[in-house]
Amino acid sequence: MTSLHSKPLALKNVTVTDSFWRTEQELVRTAVIPYQWNALNDNVPGAAPSYCMHNFKAAAAQNKRKDTQGNAFVPPKYTFRGFEALPEDPANPDPDKFYGFVFQDTDFSKWVEAVGYSLAHHPDPALEQTADQAVDIVCAAQLDNGYLDAYYILNGMDRAFTNLRDHHELYCLGHLVEGAVAYYQGTGKDKLLKAACRFADYVDERFGRKPGQLRGYPGHEIAEMALVRLYEVTGEQRYLDLAEYFVTERGRQPYIFDIQADENAKRDADANYKPNTDPNRYAYHQANKPVTEQDEAVGHAVRAGYFYSGLADVARLADDQDLADAAERLWRNIVDKKLYVTGGIGGTVDGEAFSYNYDLPNDSAYSETCAAISLAFFARRMLELAPKAEYADVMESALYNTTLAGMALDGKSFFYVNPLEVNPYACHKDSRLRHVKPVRQKWFGCACCPPNIARIVESVQEYAYTVAEDGGTLFTHLYMGGVAKAELNGTAVELDVTANLPWQGDGKAVVRLGGDAAGTSAQAPARFTLAFRLPGWVGDESAAAAAITATGESESGADSSRVTREIRDGYLYLTGEWRDGDTVTFDFPMPVRMLAANPLVREDAGKVAFVRGPITFCAEEKDNGANLHLLHADVEALLADPSAAKVEEFDFHAGAKGIDDKGQGEVEDVTRRMVKLEVPAWREPLPAAVAAAGEGAAEVPAFAPLYAVYAPVKREPATATLIPYFAWANRGENEMTVWLRG
Amino acid sequence: MTSLHSKPLALKNVTVTDSFWRTEQELVRTAVIPYQWNALNDNVPGAAPSYCMHNFKAAAAQNKRKDTQGNAFVPPKYTFRGFEALPEDPANPDPDKFYGFVFQDTDFSKWVEAVGYSLAHHPDPALEQTADQAVDIVCAAQLDNGYLDAYYILNGMDRAFTNLRDHHELYCLGHLVEGAVAYYQGTGKDKLLKAACRFADYVDERFGRKPGQLRGYPGHEIAEMALVRLYEVTGEQRYLDLAEYFVTERGRQPYIFDIQADENAKRDADANYKPNTDPNRYAYHQANKPVTEQDEAVGHAVRAGYFYSGLADVARLADDQDLADAAERLWRNIVDKKLYVTGGIGGTVDGEAFSYNYDLPNDSAYSETCAAISLAFFARRMLELAPKAEYADVMESALYNTTLAGMALDGKSFFYVNPLEVNPYACHKDSRLRHVKPVRQKWFGCACCPPNIARIVESVQEYAYTVAEDGGTLFTHLYMGGVAKAELNGTAVELDVTANLPWQGDGKAVVRLGGDAAGTSAQAPARFTLAFRLPGWVGDESAAAAAITATGESESGADSSRVTREIRDGYLYLTGEWRDGDTVTFDFPMPVRMLAANPLVREDAGKVAFVRGPITFCAEEKDNGANLHLLHADVEALLADPSAAKVEEFDFHAGAKGIDDKGQGEVEDVTRRMVKLEVPAWREPLPAAVAAAGEGAAEVPAFAPLYAVYAPVKREPATATLIPYFAWANRGENEMTVWLRG
């Protein structure tokens, strides 16, 4: 059987010209990246300092002292100063001390990764110069042996790698590698890449199954997938081997986390220490059992998404069927039992984690932005293992819905948690919802989500295409306007795509051969396959396939077409002889789909959600009034006439004042073209006294008994106005729900 | 205007002979009280020791040393040893040290209170002797100045009353007084009562608004209502004044809790201390503002219920309209916006507290047993302020539903938290539900609920009757078989009641005059009023009134009846000339009532609950299969024909094996006569693969997509079997729900 593996097109080989994603990328480039740079240099007024660059500078200075003092240099002896260490006097941080979270280094790595992507398709000499200077600072912090984590360099290397569970050194390595590869690929500059290789080499020496090596693995995963990237860019097998080691060593007994906890307690003579004997321990870290025995996605959702991404990578490159099966099992569990209809994952705030099967609460959801991003990472890697439309469907949903919902339409505030139902009154009053913010926040002390959005948005075209390992097939996974360049069976091929996603399903892909972008000279025909995803949101695979036609399929007078079609795993494979200028047109039906959840999802019982194309919609109070739980979709009317749900393109006006003295929830005036739905609905009326009192009804005096004999609910005809989920909370604090009662 | 005040009949003047409450009282007498005694003497195998009697003995020994050593005695200097102090070696607790929670003394007080009630109507010399010996031990622990809280006596009196917010001394006083009064009333023995008075006198000297006094009040209320009882039994005005002071001082600024926190920080030179500046601070303690400014029931629900009880007591005895208005406002807020249909209160585990208005989650409910009991306390005191049927309706619901649900039918295990919906799978998997136990627990380290059940069940007849302040009216609030003795307008009157509550609404009350219980000799007629509550559960006040007839109303041949009737505030007042042997018969309709919640209760949207008489019903998995969220009440059928809900008296067989190696959830085989409902229903079928897999469906492999295009739900006809809520979880771990989808 031939391999089904494929590899993404490099970022610089794909341009993005469609208005949807260009707008998002410009937001990130012009708003997020500069903001991030200020943040990691502690230059954002009103925001808590990151201390990230401060720490690297302190480490560099220490290295210099060491060089100067030689043997007289006394390295710091380790003391634990807290998971987040803050200066006693915030106005005067000690220039020689480490501050912030143990993983604070990654602020830089994520930023430089986004910068690398941005520079790959949008040259900007000033930004590049800033980044080069930052790279210099970071590289100066590296120890001679290659170690590069400012936390231990400054706090004391005698305890490096002694608390793998909590202290994030390998997480820092992973992000550093991701950033370094992206910066190298975006600029061709390898200084940071070399530093990352040296740190990876050092880790490779220290970790493994050979005598004298530490049989450990990351407490927070990402190094696995990062090392695979490092392997792919350097060709050094040892990085792949190290990634494979981390993936396969994870969860083996005796647990390294137990061993290190024992050792640390002994070292610290900790009288209160009690070994962790919970039989399910380290599920939070996906380390409760070896991955080949795992069949349920558990624990911290971001860690999980990163781990499963690395797992899929290693499975593909090591061609390991057991690992591929594990990845598929974990994927199935997520998609069949733990996925929000917004492409989000993570049902519980406790551990920012996956909840149990089918537990997908809407109002107390965690659904972290980073977790949706990690799911997109995982999905693309599953596509690389084998092209199946389901992977792309989920990836597309995660990107268009929860990932983008993470950022305001002005690019200046962010959601960490993405609930599917919000009653702001409850968020303010109910401590059990303390993680749920009804408006986006300006920045976070633990600033993971904004930079994660930045890096995925700036590299979104890497998710659109892959090329089969044998070089004969170009897969189009996402329909995104722009030009994709690939070499197929030795021929330079360009696919010049026009698309109107996510609002309309039509578009075309013009084939250019021989690299002549202008397409003016006729190039020699070539044989290869163009495979196009049949989006699940069409609702009918045959209809989706019928919506695609290629010039070569219908040559007039030809007894057999040059290009033949085959449907496999949700992809339409168009194979044959392609000529320069051949055009593949597509016009996917994009019906409004009224979805119900599996009956085992208790939180969604009796409710429906509306999706159209890759977009999941939601109802906001701004359009529909308060008490959204009393607004019902008129399911009978919609069943009788599916066209009763009206689709309307319109100008969405974002803009809001802040809700507190910190300006949280503030959004600048921005207008974005998008689609809204007008859905037949009905409303349960409130008793008159409440209706008169208007908003904040829960504060009005009692008007009706708490319990009364049941009477049939009156139905006031109504229309529900639904906007894309990613656009919610851009017009001030208000109620929102994705699921409407039926 | 004449006073509407009334006072309960003393416990020893009311017997309980009906099978329902006799069974409950016997359970408490034979199972709970002996178990409690063992518990507070650390004699329950497998249970954490209470150390309660240990502490009193240690304090007594210390007193003895002091007496022996005289001036040479060095009192302990205070050190904080934790909110719960445990011995380093559990096998060898230090006989001189205090262990357990700061409020551990109350284990004794609650026990002796239940014992007092039990002895009042069930003499038991052996039990009385045990109690006398315990009283001796406790009294020996008292200091010469009257102070009696073993925590500070043993840990160091230099810090007594310096942490009123957290250290429960006044809570210990309150429970001691309650226990002492009950024991005195049950046995006539006043040794403990005198000790309680001395402690109260000491507190009265220390606390108040006079110069040099501490302007403090309890962190955990109960002293307020207890001091009122002490006033009522001793006639000493100073106890009422102290209660009034505690009620009216509470919540005044500057907050005593702030002042003491500042002082303690200074004393301890605590560098990390930060004053609490939350503008809503002390809402948990109902001390955020003065009670006359409070209009929402907030904070820890048990504290609140106790406080509001004391408030109503003081309002009545001080005849203070402002306080009475405050009590009524808080009552309205609870009943209109914060009351479960099971008579429970407390929507959130955070702070074991009231949640915001209309937030009444079913699965994550707190609804502590003690909170329902405190609501019954409050309700009875509202009745004492003014007889209104609503107070009695709520009191009755709290007693029959959540209070009794707190105890297994064998009296040997207990619920602290009383959810209205349980999916055991979720309870085990979901850390956000860690407070919700799907089966009753054997005992609790913080053992508040079992003793609270014991004391209210053993004194339940005190909730059935009150006599108007002017002595002319006997109110029947609860219909309970037994004899109630009262003096009405100078005549000794007995009401000999037969009733079949809660299962049937019929019964009668025979009037005996002159104390001749046998009723053989004709006594002189007398004028007075018998007032009978018209239960809200009849659904129609006129129908309820029509269901009551008195002999004196229908004398044949008389041109006007001897007894006239008037309906006022939900009571039927029968006034006139009563003759010995007159009979008041009642036959209240007891329809099955299908209730809906106010539309602002989001958690109950689209759902119905079934009640009949005072009993709230629920569906259990044992009777209805798993996935109760897919079982719908057939509301159309029930609206069309209300008699479609069948009422069936039957033998309920309790009995269950434990679910773990500690035997949690174990219930002995017990048979109880009760009523179940068979309600027309329908079921959403599960996809075939799940149905085949049976229970634990969430563990079966995926069988159907997580999201699919909505299709009308199939309706499989079904019958929902509903049992009384108080009887749930007596047949092993299983799903339960009070609210059924409509």
Side-chain angles (χ1 to χ4, degrees):
Chain A
M1 186 183 143
T2 56
S3 163
L4 293 170
H5 299 171
S6 67
K7 281 178 61 174
L9 290 186
L11 193 57
K12 60 182 175 195
N13 290 332
V14 191
T15 62
V16 174
T17 55
D18 79 25
S19 71
F20 187 87
W21 283 108
R22 274 212 45 185
T23 306
E24 297 291 343
Q25 291 193 328
E26 277 298 284
L27 262 189
V28 167
R29 193 180 69 80
T30 58
V32 185
I33 290 178
Y35 190 95
Q36 261 182 285
W37 175 244
N38 284 327
L40 56 99
N41 282 284
D42 315 332
N43 285 332
V44 177
S50 151
Y51 299 110
C52 173
M53 297 311 292
H54 161 102
N55 294 334
F56 283 121
K57 286 175 197 160
Q62 180 178 289
N63 285 343
K64 206 166 213 174
R65 281 200 303 280
K66 188 182 158 199
D67 292 344
T68 319
Q69 299 171 11
N71 287 342
F73 176 77
V74 181
K77 186 130 178 82
Y78 184 77
T79 345
F80 179 60
R81 294 168 47 238
F83 195 69
E84 184 186 15
L86 297 176
E88 284 177 20
D89 176 4
N92 293 302
D94 184 331
D96 294 334
K97 273 198 177 156
F98 181 94
Y99 296 116
F101 288 101
V102 295
F103 49 77
Q104 207 71 46
D105 285 13
T106 59
D107 281 7
F108 160 77
S109 303
K110 292 169 189 168
W111 174 77
V112 84
E113 184 179 344
V115 168
Y117 297 143
S118 177
L119 293 176
H121 50 78
H122 192 108
D124 179 338
L127 177 61
E128 190 166 334
Q129 194 184 1
T130 303
D132 285 342
Q133 289 164 354
V135 166
D136 289 342
I137 293 168
V138 171
C139 290
Q142 190 163 33
L143 298 187
D144 295 338
N145 61 12
Y147 184 93
L148 181 42
D149 179 356
Y151 174 82
Y152 276 106
I153 294 174
L154 289 168
N155 283 316
M157 285 297 295
D158 51 312
R159 282 287 187 100
F161 297 130
T162 59
N163 187 347
L164 293 172
R165 191 187 66 199
D166 305 325
H167 278 183
H168 287 70
E169 291 154 284
L170 297 173
Y171 174 74
C172 289
L173 165 70
H175 267 300
L176 179 68
V177 167
E178 295 257 354
V181 170
Y183 197 66
Y184 168 70
Q185 290 178 328
T187 62
K189 293 176 178 167
D190 67 359
K191 179 169 181 175
L192 191 65
L193 184 69
K194 282 183 174 162
C197 285
R198 287 178 59 215
F199 190 12
D201 291 340
Y202 178 76
V203 167
D204 180 46
E205 235 170 72
R206 287 285 305 269
F207 285 78
R209 298 194 180 97
K210 288 185 215 136
Q213 284 184 314
L214 181 56
R215 285 190 66 157
Y217 41 81
H220 191 316
E221 304 94 320
I222 194 177
E224 302 81 356
M225 58 193 279
L227 287 164
V228 168
R229 285 186 79 176
L230 197 58
Y231 158 72
E232 288 183 320
V233 74
T234 63
E236 293 289 353
Q237 180 70 28
R238 65 179 178 280
Y239 300 136
L240 176 59
D241 293 344
L242 182 58
E244 184 177 358
Y245 160 76
F246 280 150
V247 166
T248 57
E249 181 64 20
R250 192 166 202 83
R252 295 199 184 277
Q253 299 215 24
Y255 295 122
I256 183 69
F257 298 158
D258 282 344
I259 294 169
Q260 294 200 323
D262 288 347
E263 288 172 351
N264 287 331
K266 216 171 287 172
R267 244 184 236 120
D268 296 332
D270 180 355
N272 296 318
Y273 173 70
K274 276 187 195 136
N276 187 342
T277 55
D278 177 355
N280 200 34
R281 65 194 185 274
Y282 311 131
Y284 170 84
H285 308 81
Q286 301 77 46
N288 48 332
K289 43 190 173 183
V291 68
T292 48
E293 295 169 25
Q294 294 184 21
D295 52 12
E296 184 178 351
V298 295
H300 187 260
V302 179
R303 281 174 164 82
Y306 288 177
F307 177 52
Y308 305 155
S309 298
L311 166 66
D313 275 337
V314 170
R316 173 172 56 86
L317 290 168
D319 222 347
D320 185 318
Q321 193 59 42
D322 287 345
L323 295 182
D325 290 346
E328 179 64 25
R329 271 199 311 276
L330 292 161
W331 172 268
R332 282 253 63 77
N333 178 251
I334 293 174
V335 173
D336 291 339
K337 300 178 182 176
K338 299 195 174 188
L339 178 66
Y340 281 105
V341 73
T342 49
I345 50 175
T348 175
V349 59
D350 274 6
E352 306 177 318
F354 286 106
S355 187
Y356 57 93
N357 287 333
Y358 298 112
D359 186 43
L360 293 161
N362 295 305
D363 60 346
S364 63
Y366 205 73
S367 186
E368 186 179 336
T369 307
C370 292
I373 291 169
S374 79
L375 180 62
F377 292 165
F378 182 27
R380 195 194 73 192
R381 283 156 178 85
M382 291 305 285
L383 279 174
E384 294 175 44
L385 262 171
K388 288 184 194 165
E390 185 192 70
Y391 303 139
D393 286 336
V394 170
M395 179 173 82
E396 191 182 46
S397 176
L399 285 171
Y400 276 103
N401 299 301
T402 301
T403 300
L404 291 185
M407 180 166 67
L409 292 178
D410 66 357
K412 294 189 173 162
S413 58
F414 304 90
F415 276 134
Y416 200 104
V417 164
N418 295 278
L420 282 79
E421 179 184 328
V422 163
N423 172 6
Y425 183 81
C427 293
H428 295 303
K429 289 273 185 179
D430 188 348
S431 51
R432 293 161 299 175
L433 295 178
R434 63 173 74 80
H435 61 293
V436 179
K437 306 295 177 201
V439 294
R440 293 178 183 79
Q441 307 291 296
K442 295 210 162 185
W443 198 254
F444 302 94
C446 174
C448 58
C449 295
N452 248 337
I453 296 171
R455 65 195 188 113
I456 199 161
V457 165
E458 284 298 320
S459 62
V460 71
Q461 52 266 57
E462 283 193 339
Y463 297 78
Y465 305 96
T466 58
V467 174
E469 218 170 41
D470 67 7
T473 304
L474 174 65
F475 290 95
T476 299
H477 304 294
L478 300 180
Y479 295 90
M480 198 179 279
V483 177
K485 298 184 195 176
E487 199 185 279
L488 298 176
N489 294 339
T491 303
V493 178
E494 283 187 13
L495 213 56
D496 187 351
V497 179
T498 322
N500 295 305
L501 267 281
W503 311 124
Q504 304 302 334
D506 62 322
K508 62 179 180 178
V510 180
V511 177
R512 311 278 182 205
L513 299 183
D516 182 349
T520 46
S521 63
Q523 305 291 329
R527 290 195 67 82
F528 52 83
T529 300
L530 296 179
F532 292 90
R533 164 177 160 245
L534 303 173
W537 41 258
V538 173
D540 178 332
E541 192 179 71
S542 312
I548 303 179
T549 50
T551 322
E553 288 186 295
S554 54
E555 294 287 275
S556 62
D559 54 349
S560 72
S561 58
R562 283 190 278 123
V563 172
T564 59
R565 58 168 54 207
E566 186 193 359
I567 298 175
R568 211 161 57 231
D569 290 334
Y571 281 77
L572 176 68
Y573 290 77
L574 296 173
T575 304
E577 185 193 288
W578 293 89
R579 295 182 188 160
D580 187 68
D582 272 356
T583 301
V584 180
T585 59
F586 49 91
D587 190 5
F588 298 120
M590 202 179 260
V592 175
R593 301 172 80 221
M594 176 166 65
L595 300 185
N598 187 301
L600 290 177
V601 182
R602 294 182 184 226
E603 299 273 348
D604 297 337
K607 296 178 180 172
V608 292
F610 290 85
V611 300
R612 178 176 174 273
I615 298 293
T616 299
F617 286 79
C618 68
E620 273 199 302
E621 181 182 344
K622 292 277 174 205
D623 302 310
N624 300 284
N627 290 307
L628 293 176
H629 69 292
L630 301 179
L631 180 67
H632 294 244
D634 187 341
V635 294
E636 292 85 4
L638 285 155
L639 282 173
D641 175 14
S643 73
K646 301 290 176 216
V647 177
E648 189 185 326
E649 211 168 312
F650 77 118
D651 283 324
F652 180 87
H653 298 292
K657 300 255 178 263
I659 63 166
D660 61 17
D661 55 6
K662 287 178 185 156
Q664 296 292 17
E666 190 175 80
V667 180
E668 289 176 10
D669 290 342
V670 176
T671 299
R672 286 277 284 275
R673 197 77 186 157
M674 56 181 77
V675 157
K676 68 180 170 188
L677 306 182
E678 301 283 354
V679 173
W682 56 273
R683 186 179 272 287
E684 285 182 47
L686 279 178
V690 175
E695 288 185 36
E699 295 286 20
V700 305
F703 56 91
L706 193 48
Y707 304 106
V709 169
Y710 173 85
V713 168
K714 290 209 184 74
R715 295 185 171 209
E716 283 178 359
T719 299
T721 298
L722 308 180
I723 64 162
Y725 175 73
F726 74 76
W728 88 277
N730 275 287
R731 295 174 294 175
E733 185 178 86
N734 75 157
E735 273 188 55
M736 181 277 292
T737 189
V738 168
W739 291 94
L740 288 175
R741 288 169 67 201
Chain B
M1 187 183 142
T2 57
S3 163
L4 294 169
H5 299 170
S6 67
K7 281 180 59 173
L9 290 186
L11 194 57
K12 59 181 175 197
N13 290 332
V14 191
T15 63
V16 175
T17 55
D18 79 25
S19 72
F20 187 87
W21 283 107
R22 274 211 47 183
T23 305
E24 297 292 343
Q25 292 194 328
E26 277 298 285
L27 262 189
V28 167
R29 192 181 69 81
T30 58
V32 185
I33 290 178
Y35 190 95
Q36 261 182 285
W37 175 244
N38 284 327
L40 55 100
N41 282 283
D42 315 331
N43 285 332
V44 178
S50 151
Y51 299 111
C52 173
M53 296 311 292
H54 160 101
N55 294 334
F56 284 119
K57 286 175 198 161
Q62 181 179 288
N63 285 342
K64 206 167 213 173
R65 282 200 302 281
K66 187 181 160 200
D67 291 345
T68 319
Q69 299 172 9
N71 286 341
F73 175 78
V74 182
K77 186 131 177 82
Y78 183 78
T79 345
F80 179 60
R81 293 168 47 237
F83 195 69
E84 184 187 14
L86 296 176
E88 284 177 19
D89 176 4
N92 292 302
D94 184 332
D96 293 334
K97 272 197 177 155
F98 181 94
Y99 296 116
F101 289 101
V102 294
F103 49 78
Q104 206 73 45
D105 285 13
T106 60
D107 280 7
F108 160 77
S109 303
K110 292 169 188 168
W111 174 77
V112 85
E113 183 179 345
V115 169
Y117 297 143
S118 178
L119 293 176
H121 50 79
H122 192 109
D124 179 338
L127 177 60
E128 190 166 334
Q129 194 185 2
T130 303
D132 285 344
Q133 290 165 353
V135 166
D136 289 342
I137 293 168
V138 170
C139 290
Q142 189 163 34
L143 297 187
D144 295 338
N145 61 11
Y147 185 92
L148 181 42
D149 178 357
Y151 174 81
Y152 278 104
I153 294 175
L154 289 168
N155 283 316
M157 284 297 295
D158 51 314
R159 284 288 187 100
F161 297 130
T162 59
N163 187 349
L164 293 171
R165 192 187 66 199
D166 304 325
H167 280 183
H168 286 71
E169 291 154 283
L170 296 173
Y171 174 75
C172 289
L173 166 70
H175 267 299
L176 179 69
V177 167
E178 295 259 352
V181 170
Y183 197 66
Y184 167 70
Q185 291 177 329
T187 63
K189 293 176 179 168
D190 67 359
K191 179 170 181 176
L192 192 63
L193 185 69
K194 282 182 175 164
C197 286
R198 287 178 59 215
F199 190 13
D201 291 341
Y202 178 75
V203 167
D204 180 45
E205 236 170 74
R206 287 286 305 269
F207 285 78
R209 299 195 181 97
K210 288 185 215 133
Q213 285 185 313
L214 181 56
R215 285 190 65 157
Y217 42 80
H220 191 317
E221 303 94 321
I222 194 175
E224 301 81 356
M225 57 194 278
L227 287 164
V228 168
R229 285 186 79 176
L230 197 58
Y231 158 72
E232 288 182 320
V233 75
T234 64
E236 293 288 353
Q237 179 70 28
R238 64 179 179 280
Y239 300 137
L240 176 59
D241 293 344
L242 182 59
E244 183 177 358
Y245 160 77
F246 280 150
V247 166
T248 57
E249 182 64 19
R250 193 167 201 84
R252 294 198 183 276
Q253 299 216 25
Y255 294 124
I256 183 68
F257 298 158
D258 281 345
I259 294 170
Q260 294 200 324
D262 288 348
E263 288 172 353
N264 287 331
K266 216 171 287 173
R267 245 184 234 118
D268 297 332
D270 180 354
N272 296 319
Y273 172 70
K274 275 187 197 138
N276 186 342
T277 55
D278 177 355
N280 200 34
R281 65 195 186 273
Y282 312 131
Y284 170 84
H285 308 80
Q286 301 77 45
N288 47 333
K289 43 190 171 184
V291 69
T292 48
E293 295 170 23
Q294 294 184 21
D295 52 13
E296 184 179 352
V298 295
H300 187 261
V302 179
R303 281 174 163 81
Y306 288 178
F307 177 52
Y308 305 155
S309 298
L311 166 66
D313 275 339
V314 170
R316 174 173 55 86
L317 290 167
D319 223 348
D320 185 318
Q321 193 58 43
D322 287 346
L323 295 183
D325 290 346
E328 178 66 25
R329 272 199 311 276
L330 292 161
W331 172 268
R332 282 254 64 77
N333 177 252
I334 293 174
V335 173
D336 291 339
K337 300 179 181 173
K338 299 197 175 187
L339 178 66
Y340 282 105
V341 73
T342 49
I345 50 174
T348 174
V349 59
D350 275 5
E352 308 177 319
F354 286 106
S355 187
Y356 57 93
N357 288 332
Y358 298 112
D359 186 44
L360 292 161
N362 294 305
D363 60 346
S364 63
Y366 205 73
S367 186
E368 186 178 336
T369 307
C370 292
I373 291 169
S374 80
L375 180 63
F377 292 165
F378 182 27
R380 196 194 73 193
R381 283 155 178 86
M382 291 305 284
L383 279 174
E384 293 175 44
L385 262 171
K388 290 185 194 167
E390 185 193 69
Y391 303 140
D393 286 336
V394 170
M395 179 174 82
E396 191 182 46
S397 176
L399 285 170
Y400 276 102
N401 299 301
T402 301
T403 300
L404 291 184
M407 180 167 68
L409 292 178
D410 65 357
K412 294 190 172 161
S413 57
F414 304 90
F415 276 133
Y416 201 105
V417 164
N418 295 278
L420 281 79
E421 179 185 326
V422 163
N423 171 8
Y425 183 82
C427 293
H428 295 304
K429 290 272 185 180
D430 188 348
S431 50
R432 292 162 300 176
L433 295 178
R434 64 173 73 81
H435 60 293
V436 179
K437 307 295 178 200
V439 294
R440 292 179 184 78
Q441 308 291 295
K442 296 211 162 185
W443 200 255
F444 303 95
C446 173
C448 59
C449 296
N452 248 337
I453 296 171
R455 65 195 189 113
I456 199 161
V457 166
E458 283 299 318
S459 63
V460 72
Q461 52 266 56
E462 283 193 339
Y463 297 78
Y465 305 96
T466 58
V467 174
E469 219 170 42
D470 67 7
T473 305
L474 174 64
F475 291 94
T476 299
H477 304 295
L478 300 180
Y479 295 90
M480 198 178 279
V483 177
K485 297 183 195 175
E487 200 185 279
L488 298 176
N489 294 338
T491 302
V493 178
E494 283 187 15
L495 214 55
D496 187 351
V497 179
T498 321
N500 295 306
L501 268 281
W503 311 125
Q504 303 302 334
D506 63 322
K508 62 178 178 177
V510 180
V511 178
R512 312 278 183 206
L513 300 182
D516 182 349
T520 46
S521 65
Q523 304 292 329
R527 292 196 65 83
F528 51 85
T529 300
L530 296 178
F532 292 89
R533 165 178 159 243
L534 304 173
W537 41 257
V538 173
D540 178 332
E541 194 180 70
S542 312
I548 303 179
T549 50
T551 321
E553 288 186 296
S554 54
E555 294 288 271
S556 61
D559 54 348
S560 72
S561 60
R562 283 190 279 123
V563 173
T564 60
R565 59 169 54 207
E566 185 194 358
I567 298 176
R568 211 161 60 230
D569 290 334
Y571 281 77
L572 176 67
Y573 289 77
L574 296 172
T575 304
E577 185 192 287
W578 293 91
R579 296 182 187 160
D580 186 69
D582 273 356
T583 300
V584 180
T585 60
F586 49 91
D587 191 4
F588 298 119
M590 202 180 257
V592 176
R593 302 171 80 221
M594 177 167 64
L595 301 185
N598 186 301
L600 290 178
V601 182
R602 295 183 183 224
E603 299 273 347
D604 297 338
K607 295 178 180 173
V608 292
F610 291 85
V611 300
R612 178 177 174 273
I615 298 293
T616 300
F617 286 79
C618 69
E620 273 199 303
E621 181 182 345
K622 292 278 174 203
D623 302 310
N624 300 284
N627 289 308
L628 292 176
H629 69 293
L630 301 180
L631 180 67
H632 295 244
D634 188 342
V635 294
E636 291 85 3
L638 285 156
L639 281 174
D641 175 14
S643 73
K646 301 290 176 215
V647 177
E648 190 185 325
E649 211 168 310
F650 78 118
D651 283 325
F652 180 87
H653 297 293
K657 300 255 179 261
I659 63 166
D660 60 17
D661 55 8
K662 287 178 185 155
Q664 296 293 18
E666 191 176 80
V667 180
E668 288 176 9
D669 291 342
V670 176
T671 299
R672 287 277 284 274
R673 197 76 186 158
M674 57 181 77
V675 156
K676 67 181 171 187
L677 306 181
E678 300 283 354
V679 172
W682 57 274
R683 187 179 271 287
E684 284 182 48
L686 279 177
V690 175
E695 288 184 35
E699 295 287 21
V700 305
F703 56 92
L706 193 48
Y707 304 107
V709 169
Y710 173 84
V713 168
K714 290 208 186 76
R715 295 184 170 210
E716 283 178 0
T719 298
T721 298
L722 308 181
I723 63 162
Y725 176 72
F726 74 76
W728 88 277
N730 275 286
R731 295 175 293 175
E733 185 179 84
N734 75 157
E735 272 188 57
M736 181 277 292
T737 189
V738 169
W739 290 94
L740 288 174
R741 289 168 68 199

